[in-house]
Amino acid sequence: MSDIKVEMSADSATVIQNPNAASQPNNPLSRKLNKILETRLDNDKEMLEALKALSVFFTENSLRTRRNLRGDIERRSLAINEEFARIFKEVKEELESVHEDVQAMSTCCEEMTNRLKAAKEQTQDLIVKTNKLQGENHRLEVRAQVAQAFLAKFQLSPEEMATLRGPRDAPITEDFFKALNRVKHIHEDVKILLRTNQQTAGLEIMEQMAVLQETSYEQLYRWAQNECRGLTQETCDISPVLIQAMEALQDRPVLYKYTLDEFGTARRCAVVRGFIDALTRGGPGGTPRPIEMHSHDPMRYVGDMLAWLHQATASEKEHLEALLKQVTLQGVEENMQEVVGHITEGVCRPLKVRIEQVIVAEPGAVLLYKLSNLLKFYHHTISSIIGTSVASLLMTIEEMHILSKKMFFNSLSLHASRLMDKVELPPADLGPTASLTQTLSLLREVLASHDSSVVPLDARQADFAQVLSCILDPLLQLCTVSASNLGTADMATYMVNSLYVMKTTLALFEFTDKRLEMLEFQIEAHLDTLINEQASFVLTRAGLSYIYSCVQQHSAEQGPLSLLPSMDSSSVKTAMVQFDRYLSSPDTLVMPQLNFLLSAAIKEQIFRQSTELVCRAYAEVYSALTSPANGYKDPETLVPRSPQQVQTLLS
């Protein structure tokens, strides 16, 4: 190739060097050379490819090879064509083989198609029958599913049936209640069938479920009854299954009521036995001690019995609440009250006998009153637990309360009648008699126990007036009868002392305002008597009694006062001298009875008000003696002191 290029370069140089040759435009060789020279190999891709292919077998650039180039190219082209023909022949043979196979397959397919057509014609009836059977099978499957769903909704499983129809002594478990609830739901759901055209099936299922329900409830009732009969121990453990049983039995009110009655009977036996044991045997190991050991102490004896019953009643109420906590019936609270009343009814007889023995033994008015308050308190407390007053226990406690209260007032009445049967004379110091002091001490104890009572306020206030009437009214009558033979001053002093002692006794307690007011009025009445007596005593001892009496009784028709007997100037002057001695030491003229008064305040009040009466009496005497109409000469010498001066001296 390089030789060709060299040769071409030499030729080009020859052409260039020969300018004459270029001037011959019609020379063919020249045109070819020019064309070759003008050709740009970089842009002629076909030429480049041809040269590249030529370089594969044109390895030697010589004259001989250049001359044989065409032949070589033709031979190479022939060889390539022969190779192509050979290869294409193989392809043709393969295609013919494939064609033969395709022809064979086509023939086979035609045969199979013909056979299938023949088979289809022969099995057409079978296919129709098969399709029909498949459709029928699908419908049967749907019906089977519907039947299964129907049975699942309206029938019990074998396990549930076995649970509900177990042996009579079989225990009740959680599965029983699940099966029973399932029966209830089926019985409710089957009503849907009665609204469709499946009424016969609905009625049969409803009847079957109703029978199954009744037998199940009967079995559940028998089991619950046996469980309740076993609850006779002091500690009562309510099992969760029994609670569920009561919840289920509420759908059968009769069985529910019978079960509650059975529970109440069992617990009644337990409470009675526990109460008797507490009375006679005490607690476990002897602690606490038997209640009967304290029968010598009525308050503790009765209090311990009532406290035990209060605790037992509260415990039984809690047991019932635990048993019926899942019951949603109306009137559950009334049922509990009724059952608790039935449970505690058994202890009424032994309780009543023992309390009656204590009350009838007449332990004294104070103890009877304390027992009455104690019974009233426990009646109020236990009624808040039971919630009804018709329970036998509450009726028994109320009877004992009424009995103790009656015995208490009988004791007070007997005490009062004894006082009136033998009236005690007032002592020499005109103070309260021993019987009065003793009775007031009794009243003080009664009122003290009344104040410390835990009975509600309204009940305490209602009893208070009756207690005071039973004691104070006989005492007042006793004092009046006892003082009937005394003088005026002695009677007034004795009555003031007695009333004062009563007043100071009542003043320490509540609900006594009305009685204190009444006693205050009576004391004031007797104080007026003592004030008048003290004033008369002073006027008599001071010499003004006669003069004051004459002044009060004198009238203008009688003439001058100085003309009356013992009313002359000398007599009046003598009396005034005596009155002056009183003014110099007024404390010396005091009635002896006033020294017996128990209250210094009352004594001071009497002295002050009697002094005022003396001053008013002196003022009247002074006015009469200084009046010109009474005919006294130099009245200033008779009565040198004015009423104001006298009042100043005595104040």
Side-chain angles (χ1 to χ4, degrees):
M1 189 70 181
S2 59
D3 294 339
I4 294 174
K5 291 180 180 180
V6 171
E7 185 177 352
M8 289 176 64
S9 300
D11 292 339
S12 299
T14 304
V15 173
I16 295 171
Q17 291 176 1
N18 190 3
N20 294 326
S23 62
Q24 298 177 4
N26 295 324
N27 189 351
L29 180 61
S30 178
R31 288 195 301 272
K32 288 183 180 181
L33 287 175
N34 288 331
K35 185 177 180 180
I36 292 171
L37 290 174
E38 291 174 357
T39 301
R40 297 184 63 86
L41 296 177
D42 294 338
N43 296 330
D44 193 351
K45 293 183 179 181
E46 293 181 359
M47 179 62 73
L48 289 175
E49 291 293 332
L51 292 175
K52 186 176 180 180
L54 182 62
S55 65
V56 173
F57 62 89
F58 191 77
T59 58
E60 182 181 357
N61 187 8
S62 63
L63 180 62
R64 180 178 174 276
T65 55
R66 287 195 298 271
R67 289 177 179 174
N68 295 330
L69 178 60
R70 180 182 294 274
D72 291 339
I73 292 172
E74 290 176 353
R75 282 193 298 274
R76 183 172 178 80
S77 175
L78 179 61
I80 290 172
N81 289 332
E82 288 177 353
E83 181 68 19
F84 179 78
R86 185 184 62 80
I87 293 173
F88 194 76
K89 181 180 179 181
E90 293 178 358
V91 172
K92 177 177 175 295
E93 291 175 354
E94 291 293 332
L95 287 175
E96 288 176 351
S97 175
V98 170
H99 177 69
E100 291 175 357
D101 292 340
V102 170
Q103 287 292 335
M105 289 176 65
S106 176
T107 303
C108 183
C109 288
E110 288 179 359
E111 290 178 359
M112 291 183 67
T113 301
N114 294 331
R115 291 173 63 184
L116 286 174
K117 287 181 179 179
K120 183 177 180 181
E121 292 175 357
Q122 294 175 1
T123 59
Q124 183 67 32
D125 294 338
L126 181 61
I127 292 173
V128 172
K129 290 180 180 180
T130 302
N131 291 334
K132 184 177 180 181
L133 290 175
Q134 286 179 345
E136 186 68 22
N137 183 43
H138 179 69
R139 286 193 297 273
L140 290 176
E141 287 179 354
V142 172
R143 293 181 66 182
Q145 292 176 357
V146 172
Q148 289 294 334
F150 181 85
L151 292 176
K153 187 172 182 62
F154 295 107
Q155 290 294 323
L156 296 177
S157 65
E159 293 80 8
E160 292 172 334
M161 290 294 292
T163 301
L164 293 179
R165 291 181 174 177
R168 293 174 62 90
D169 56 349
I172 300 298
T173 62
E174 185 73 24
D175 295 335
F176 182 89
F177 297 104
K178 292 180 180 178
L180 184 59
N181 287 332
R182 179 103 171 88
V183 172
K184 290 168 60 178
H185 290 316
I186 292 175
H187 192 271
E188 291 296 324
D189 294 341
V190 79
K191 295 177 182 178
I192 301 173
L193 295 178
L194 300 180
R195 304 192 192 105
T196 64
N197 55 358
Q198 303 294 332
Q199 294 183 356
T200 303
L203 290 174
E204 290 179 357
I205 294 174
M206 181 175 287
E207 183 179 358
Q208 180 186 4
M209 292 300 112
V211 172
L212 194 57
Q213 262 188 315
E214 293 306 320
T215 56
S216 301
Y217 278 120
E218 185 68 26
Q219 181 180 355
L220 182 61
Y221 163 67
R222 288 195 301 270
W223 177 85
Q225 189 180 41
N226 291 331
E227 285 290 310
C228 291
R229 285 174 180 171
L231 299 176
T232 56
Q233 301 300 320
E234 185 174 353
T235 57
C236 178
D237 295 328
I238 308 297
S239 64
V241 180
L242 184 57
I243 295 174
Q244 283 185 291
M246 295 306 298
E247 180 186 10
L249 286 174
Q250 67 179 330
D251 294 334
R252 295 295 183 271
V254 175
L255 300 180
Y256 170 79
K257 182 68 169 57
Y258 285 166
T259 306
L260 275 184
D261 292 343
E262 197 67 43
F263 176 84
T265 302
R267 294 309 303 162
R268 173 174 173 165
C269 295
V271 170
V272 172
R273 185 172 60 252
F275 184 59
I276 299 301
D277 289 345
L279 288 172
T280 57
R281 298 173 59 185
T287 305
R289 299 174 65 189
I291 298 176
E292 296 283 3
M293 296 286 290
H294 306 292
S295 58
H296 61 280
D297 184 355
M299 281 298 295
R300 181 171 182 181
Y301 182 47
V302 176
D304 286 351
M305 287 191 292
L306 293 175
W308 191 95
L309 289 176
H310 171 244
Q311 182 180 1
T313 304
S315 299
E316 295 306 319
K317 180 71 175 294
E318 291 176 358
H319 295 157
L320 266 175
E321 288 175 347
L323 180 67
L324 304 180
K325 65 180 180 181
Q326 295 183 3
V327 175
T328 57
L329 279 177
Q330 290 185 349
V332 175
E333 188 65 29
E334 289 77 6
N335 291 335
M336 285 195 289
Q337 293 173 2
E338 182 180 352
V339 175
V340 172
H342 174 67
I343 291 173
T344 55
E345 184 179 2
V347 299
C348 293
R349 181 63 183 168
L351 175 69
K352 183 177 181 180
V353 169
R354 284 163 175 78
I355 296 180
E356 279 182 345
Q357 289 175 350
V358 172
I359 294 174
V360 173
E362 296 184 2
V366 177
L367 267 177
L368 284 172
Y369 190 66
K370 289 182 178 180
L371 286 175
S372 174
N373 287 334
L374 183 66
L375 289 165
K376 187 70 175 177
F377 165 72
Y378 274 105
H379 181 277
H380 176 74
T381 305
I382 296 177
S383 65
S384 65
I385 299 174
I386 299 180
T388 175
S389 59
V390 298
S392 298
L393 178 60
L394 292 179
M395 294 175 65
T396 300
I397 295 176
E398 180 65 20
E399 288 177 8
M400 294 300 98
H401 165 67
I402 294 173
L403 177 61
S404 61
K405 192 173 180 181
K406 181 180 178 182
M407 294 294 292
F408 165 68
F409 285 114
N410 287 344
S411 177
L412 293 183
S413 300
L414 180 61
H415 182 80
S417 63
R418 287 175 180 172
L419 292 178
M420 297 305 298
D421 289 343
K422 187 178 180 180
V423 178
E424 188 176 357
L425 295 176
D429 60 357
L430 300 179
T433 61
S435 58
L436 175 62
T437 305
Q438 180 184 359
T439 306
L440 288 178
S441 176
L442 172 64
L443 176 62
R444 190 179 299 108
E445 291 183 26
V446 170
L447 296 184
S449 65
H450 184 276
D451 272 2
S452 62
S453 171
V454 287
V455 175
L457 190 64
D458 52 350
R460 289 163 54 193
Q461 189 171 4
D463 293 340
F464 204 85
Q466 190 175 1
V467 172
L468 292 181
S469 297
C470 285
I471 296 180
L472 283 185
D473 292 345
L475 281 182
L476 292 174
Q477 185 179 0
L478 173 67
C479 292
T480 303
V481 173
S482 177
S484 59
N485 295 326
L486 297 177
T488 304
D490 290 342
M491 177 188 291
T493 303
Y494 172 70
M495 291 300 295
V496 167
N497 283 335
S498 299
L499 293 171
Y500 174 75
V501 173
M502 296 181 196
K503 178 184 174 183
T504 54
T505 301
L506 294 183
L508 301 174
F509 305 99
E510 57 184 355
F511 309 131
T512 58
D513 295 341
K514 292 184 178 180
R515 283 287 177 171
L516 287 174
E517 187 177 354
M518 183 194 72
L519 292 176
E520 188 65 33
F521 287 152
Q522 293 183 353
I523 290 174
E524 290 292 337
H526 292 291
L527 280 181
D528 290 341
T529 301
L530 286 177
I531 291 169
N532 291 328
E533 289 294 323
Q534 170 65 14
S536 299
F537 178 80
V538 170
L539 291 176
T540 301
R541 297 295 188 276
L544 286 184
S545 177
Y546 178 75
I547 298 174
Y548 179 63
S549 176
C550 291
V551 168
Q552 282 189 318
Q553 297 175 3
H554 179 260
S555 62
E557 291 79 9
Q558 295 176 343
L561 187 62
S562 59
L563 299 178
L564 294 179
S566 300
M567 287 299 293
D568 56 286
S569 297
S570 60
S571 298
V572 171
K573 190 171 184 179
T574 302
M576 288 304 165
V577 171
Q578 188 177 353
F579 185 72
D580 280 343
R581 286 198 297 269
Y582 160 70
L583 292 178
S584 62
S585 57
D587 295 338
T588 58
L589 294 182
V590 178
M591 282 195 310
Q593 291 85 347
L594 297 186
N595 294 323
F596 296 143
L597 289 173
L598 299 177
S599 172
I602 291 178
K603 182 178 179 180
E604 178 64 26
Q605 179 184 355
I606 293 173
F607 189 77
R608 184 180 67 255
Q609 293 185 4
S610 64
T611 302
E612 292 176 358
L613 290 180
V614 171
C615 291
R616 285 201 294 269
Y618 178 78
E620 291 184 22
V621 171
Y622 180 84
S623 176
L625 294 180
T626 57
S627 174
N630 288 322
Y632 289 102
K633 296 179 180 180
D634 298 328
E636 293 81 5
T637 59
L638 294 178
V639 282
R641 302 182 189 279
S642 65
Q644 290 76 17
Q645 291 175 333
V646 171
Q647 186 173 2
T648 302
L649 290 173
L650 294 178
S651 60

Tab-separated table of all heavy atoms in Angstrom, residues 333-365:
chain	number	residue	atom	x	y	z
A	333	GLU	N	-82.698	-3.733	97.910
A	333	GLU	CA	-82.474	-3.222	99.265
A	333	GLU	C	-83.549	-3.738	100.217
A	333	GLU	O	-83.252	-4.125	101.354
A	333	GLU	CB	-82.474	-1.689	99.239
A	333	GLU	CG	-82.066	-1.047	100.547
A	333	GLU	CD	-80.628	-1.338	100.920
A	333	GLU	OE1	-79.802	-1.533	99.998
A	333	GLU	OE2	-80.335	-1.389	102.129
A	334	GLU	N	-84.799	-3.771	99.747
A	334	GLU	CA	-85.874	-4.303	100.594
A	334	GLU	C	-85.661	-5.789	100.871
A	334	GLU	O	-85.912	-6.268	101.992
A	334	GLU	CB	-87.233	-4.093	99.921
A	334	GLU	CG	-87.706	-2.642	99.881
A	334	GLU	CD	-86.993	-1.825	98.819
A	334	GLU	OE1	-86.205	-2.417	98.043
A	334	GLU	OE2	-87.202	-0.599	98.769
A	335	ASN	N	-85.178	-6.523	99.857
A	335	ASN	CA	-84.888	-7.947	100.071
A	335	ASN	C	-83.815	-8.137	101.135
A	335	ASN	O	-83.929	-9.007	102.010
A	335	ASN	CB	-84.427	-8.592	98.757
A	335	ASN	CG	-85.546	-8.690	97.743
A	335	ASN	OD1	-86.714	-8.721	98.112
A	335	ASN	ND2	-85.206	-8.730	96.473
A	336	MET	N	-82.769	-7.311	101.071
A	336	MET	CA	-81.695	-7.425	102.060
A	336	MET	C	-82.209	-7.101	103.458
A	336	MET	O	-81.858	-7.773	104.440
A	336	MET	CB	-80.532	-6.506	101.675
A	336	MET	CG	-79.706	-7.019	100.512
A	336	MET	SD	-78.120	-6.180	100.326
A	336	MET	CE	-78.657	-4.594	99.762
A	337	GLN	N	-83.038	-6.055	103.568
A	337	GLN	CA	-83.590	-5.712	104.877
A	337	GLN	C	-84.433	-6.852	105.435
A	337	GLN	O	-84.339	-7.198	106.623
A	337	GLN	CB	-84.434	-4.442	104.750
A	337	GLN	CG	-83.636	-3.196	104.413
A	337	GLN	CD	-84.519	-2.001	104.134
A	337	GLN	OE1	-85.736	-2.093	104.237
A	337	GLN	NE2	-83.910	-0.882	103.783
A	338	GLU	N	-85.229	-7.458	104.567
A	338	GLU	CA	-86.084	-8.558	105.011
A	338	GLU	C	-85.252	-9.754	105.464
A	338	GLU	O	-85.532	-10.370	106.509
A	338	GLU	CB	-87.015	-8.954	103.865
A	338	GLU	CG	-87.987	-10.063	104.222
A	338	GLU	CD	-88.897	-10.424	103.054
A	338	GLU	OE1	-88.859	-9.696	102.036
A	338	GLU	OE2	-89.616	-11.422	103.159
A	339	VAL	N	-84.207	-10.086	104.692
A	339	VAL	CA	-83.383	-11.249	105.040
A	339	VAL	C	-82.586	-10.985	106.319
A	339	VAL	O	-82.466	-11.857	107.187
A	339	VAL	CB	-82.445	-11.604	103.864
A	339	VAL	CG1	-81.503	-12.733	104.257
A	339	VAL	CG2	-83.261	-12.015	102.651
A	340	VAL	N	-82.027	-9.766	106.456
A	340	VAL	CA	-81.290	-9.446	107.684
A	340	VAL	C	-82.225	-9.506	108.889
A	340	VAL	O	-81.851	-9.993	109.970
A	340	VAL	CB	-80.629	-8.055	107.566
A	340	VAL	CG1	-80.028	-7.634	108.896
A	340	VAL	CG2	-79.548	-8.073	106.505
A	341	GLY	N	-83.458	-9.022	108.717
A	341	GLY	CA	-84.428	-9.135	109.800
A	341	GLY	C	-84.715	-10.583	110.157
A	341	GLY	O	-84.834	-10.935	111.340
A	342	HIS	N	-84.802	-11.443	109.134
A	342	HIS	CA	-85.036	-12.871	109.391
A	342	HIS	C	-83.831	-13.509	110.080
A	342	HIS	O	-83.985	-14.348	110.984
A	342	HIS	CB	-85.327	-13.578	108.067
A	342	HIS	CG	-85.454	-15.067	108.188
A	342	HIS	ND1	-86.488	-15.678	108.870
A	342	HIS	CD2	-84.660	-16.077	107.725
A	342	HIS	CE1	-86.336	-16.993	108.813
A	342	HIS	NE2	-85.232	-17.255	108.125
A	343	ILE	N	-82.620	-13.112	109.660
A	343	ILE	CA	-81.404	-13.691	110.252
A	343	ILE	C	-81.318	-13.345	111.739
A	343	ILE	O	-80.991	-14.194	112.580
A	343	ILE	CB	-80.160	-13.184	109.491
A	343	ILE	CG1	-80.126	-13.775	108.076
A	343	ILE	CG2	-78.880	-13.542	110.237
A	343	ILE	CD1	-79.040	-13.199	107.197
A	344	THR	N	-81.598	-12.083	112.075
A	344	THR	CA	-81.449	-11.639	113.467
A	344	THR	C	-82.659	-11.972	114.330
A	344	THR	O	-82.639	-11.708	115.537
A	344	THR	CB	-81.217	-10.120	113.496
A	344	THR	OG1	-82.293	-9.461	112.795
A	344	THR	CG2	-79.900	-9.761	112.816
A	345	GLU	N	-83.695	-12.538	113.729
A	345	GLU	CA	-84.897	-12.842	114.507
A	345	GLU	C	-84.630	-13.919	115.555
A	345	GLU	O	-85.228	-13.928	116.637
A	345	GLU	CB	-86.008	-13.288	113.556
A	345	GLU	CG	-87.341	-13.541	114.239
A	345	GLU	CD	-88.418	-13.958	113.254
A	345	GLU	OE1	-88.101	-14.081	112.052
A	345	GLU	OE2	-89.562	-14.165	113.687
A	346	GLY	N	-83.691	-14.825	115.261
A	346	GLY	CA	-83.449	-15.934	116.175
A	346	GLY	C	-82.874	-15.519	117.518
A	346	GLY	O	-83.025	-16.236	118.518
A	347	VAL	N	-82.186	-14.368	117.570
A	347	VAL	CA	-81.561	-13.950	118.832
A	347	VAL	C	-82.512	-13.126	119.688
A	347	VAL	O	-82.146	-12.734	120.808
A	347	VAL	CB	-80.279	-13.133	118.550
A	347	VAL	CG1	-79.272	-13.961	117.791
A	347	VAL	CG2	-80.609	-11.864	117.776
A	348	CYS	N	-83.712	-12.851	119.183
A	348	CYS	CA	-84.624	-11.963	119.918
A	348	CYS	C	-85.035	-12.574	121.260
A	348	CYS	O	-85.051	-11.878	122.288
A	348	CYS	CB	-85.858	-11.663	119.064
A	348	CYS	SG	-85.500	-10.678	117.600
A	349	ARG	N	-85.371	-13.854	121.243
A	349	ARG	CA	-85.853	-14.481	122.469
A	349	ARG	C	-84.797	-14.499	123.574
A	349	ARG	O	-85.061	-14.025	124.692
A	349	ARG	CB	-86.338	-15.906	122.152
A	349	ARG	CG	-86.887	-16.656	123.350
A	349	ARG	CD	-88.110	-15.972	123.906
A	349	ARG	NE	-88.616	-16.627	125.101
A	349	ARG	CZ	-89.521	-16.108	125.915
A	349	ARG	NH1	-90.021	-14.910	125.644
A	349	ARG	NH2	-89.938	-16.768	126.967
A	350	PRO	N	-83.575	-15.027	123.331
A	350	PRO	CA	-82.569	-14.991	124.413
A	350	PRO	C	-82.202	-13.573	124.834
A	350	PRO	O	-81.951	-13.322	126.015
A	350	PRO	CB	-81.366	-15.724	123.809
A	350	PRO	CG	-81.595	-15.752	122.341
A	350	PRO	CD	-83.064	-15.748	122.147
A	351	LEU	N	-82.181	-12.637	123.883
A	351	LEU	CA	-81.868	-11.250	124.243
A	351	LEU	C	-82.959	-10.664	125.133
A	351	LEU	O	-82.671	-10.029	126.164
A	351	LEU	CB	-81.716	-10.416	122.972
A	351	LEU	CG	-81.492	-8.915	123.177
A	351	LEU	CD1	-80.126	-8.663	123.790
A	351	LEU	CD2	-81.631	-8.158	121.858
A	352	LYS	N	-84.208	-10.884	124.764
A	352	LYS	CA	-85.325	-10.316	125.519
A	352	LYS	C	-85.363	-10.869	126.938
A	352	LYS	O	-85.575	-10.121	127.908
A	352	LYS	CB	-86.630	-10.620	124.784
A	352	LYS	CG	-87.860	-10.015	125.437
A	352	LYS	CD	-89.101	-10.292	124.599
A	352	LYS	CE	-90.336	-9.665	125.244
A	352	LYS	NZ	-91.558	-9.916	124.442
A	353	VAL	N	-85.157	-12.174	127.078
A	353	VAL	CA	-85.203	-12.792	128.409
A	353	VAL	C	-84.144	-12.179	129.316
A	353	VAL	O	-84.417	-11.827	130.477
A	353	VAL	CB	-85.011	-14.316	128.282
A	353	VAL	CG1	-84.780	-14.937	129.646
A	353	VAL	CG2	-86.222	-14.944	127.612
A	354	ARG	N	-82.941	-11.994	128.809
A	354	ARG	CA	-81.847	-11.492	129.647
A	354	ARG	C	-82.036	-10.020	129.999
A	354	ARG	O	-81.775	-9.605	131.135
A	354	ARG	CB	-80.515	-11.721	128.923
A	354	ARG	CG	-80.080	-13.179	128.974
A	354	ARG	CD	-79.004	-13.494	127.940
A	354	ARG	NE	-78.515	-14.865	128.087
A	354	ARG	CZ	-79.168	-15.938	127.653
A	354	ARG	NH1	-80.340	-15.798	127.038
A	354	ARG	NH2	-78.663	-17.148	127.835
A	355	ILE	N	-82.482	-9.218	129.039
A	355	ILE	CA	-82.688	-7.796	129.352
A	355	ILE	C	-83.859	-7.629	130.313
A	355	ILE	O	-83.823	-6.782	131.222
A	355	ILE	CB	-82.902	-6.997	128.055
A	355	ILE	CG1	-81.645	-7.049	127.179
A	355	ILE	CG2	-83.232	-5.549	128.365
A	355	ILE	CD1	-81.762	-6.285	125.876
A	356	GLU	N	-84.902	-8.428	130.139
A	356	GLU	CA	-86.035	-8.357	131.072
A	356	GLU	C	-85.593	-8.700	132.490
A	356	GLU	O	-86.030	-8.066	133.460
A	356	GLU	CB	-87.139	-9.312	130.616
A	356	GLU	CG	-88.025	-8.753	129.516
A	356	GLU	CD	-89.132	-9.716	129.132
A	356	GLU	OE1	-89.029	-10.902	129.512
A	356	GLU	OE2	-90.084	-9.290	128.458
A	357	GLN	N	-84.720	-9.690	132.616
A	357	GLN	CA	-84.222	-10.043	133.948
A	357	GLN	C	-83.492	-8.866	134.584
A	357	GLN	O	-83.641	-8.595	135.779
A	357	GLN	CB	-83.287	-11.251	133.849
A	357	GLN	CG	-83.997	-12.561	133.535
A	357	GLN	CD	-83.025	-13.707	133.336
A	357	GLN	OE1	-81.817	-13.494	133.247
A	357	GLN	NE2	-83.550	-14.929	133.262
A	358	VAL	N	-82.709	-8.154	133.788
A	358	VAL	CA	-81.974	-6.999	134.316
A	358	VAL	C	-82.944	-5.899	134.729
A	358	VAL	O	-82.812	-5.293	135.806
A	358	VAL	CB	-80.976	-6.479	133.257
A	358	VAL	CG1	-80.352	-5.168	133.713
A	358	VAL	CG2	-79.893	-7.511	133.001
A	359	ILE	N	-83.939	-5.626	133.883
A	359	ILE	CA	-84.858	-4.516	134.159
A	359	ILE	C	-85.755	-4.828	135.346
A	359	ILE	O	-85.963	-3.982	136.233
A	359	ILE	CB	-85.694	-4.211	132.898
A	359	ILE	CG1	-84.787	-3.683	131.776
A	359	ILE	CG2	-86.784	-3.195	133.207
A	359	ILE	CD1	-85.497	-3.488	130.456
A	360	VAL	N	-86.280	-6.045	135.377
A	360	VAL	CA	-87.210	-6.408	136.453
A	360	VAL	C	-86.500	-6.455	137.803
A	360	VAL	O	-87.118	-6.265	138.857
A	360	VAL	CB	-87.882	-7.762	136.125
A	360	VAL	CG1	-88.729	-8.255	137.290
A	360	VAL	CG2	-88.744	-7.624	134.881
A	361	ALA	N	-85.188	-6.668	137.787
A	361	ALA	CA	-84.433	-6.697	139.046
A	361	ALA	C	-84.367	-5.330	139.710
A	361	ALA	O	-83.858	-5.221	140.836
A	361	ALA	CB	-83.024	-7.222	138.791
A	362	GLU	N	-84.877	-4.269	139.048
A	362	GLU	CA	-84.917	-2.900	139.570
A	362	GLU	C	-83.545	-2.450	140.070
A	362	GLU	O	-83.303	-2.301	141.267
A	362	GLU	CB	-85.950	-2.787	140.698
A	362	GLU	CG	-87.373	-3.042	140.233
A	362	GLU	CD	-88.377	-2.827	141.341
A	362	GLU	OE1	-87.948	-2.450	142.447
A	362	GLU	OE2	-89.573	-3.023	141.098
A	363	PRO	N	-82.626	-2.225	139.137
A	363	PRO	CA	-81.281	-1.807	139.555
A	363	PRO	C	-81.206	-0.362	140.034
A	363	PRO	O	-80.146	0.091	140.456
A	363	PRO	CB	-80.464	-1.992	138.271
A	363	PRO	CG	-81.452	-1.810	137.167
A	363	PRO	CD	-82.746	-2.351	137.677
A	364	GLY	N	-82.286	0.379	139.977
A	364	GLY	CA	-82.272	1.782	140.378
A	364	GLY	C	-82.671	2.674	139.226
A	364	GLY	O	-82.527	2.313	138.048
A	365	ALA	N	-83.177	3.870	139.589
A	365	ALA	CA	-83.700	4.772	138.560
A	365	ALA	C	-82.615	5.203	137.580
A	365	ALA	O	-82.833	5.252	136.369
A	365	ALA	CB	-84.338	5.995	139.222
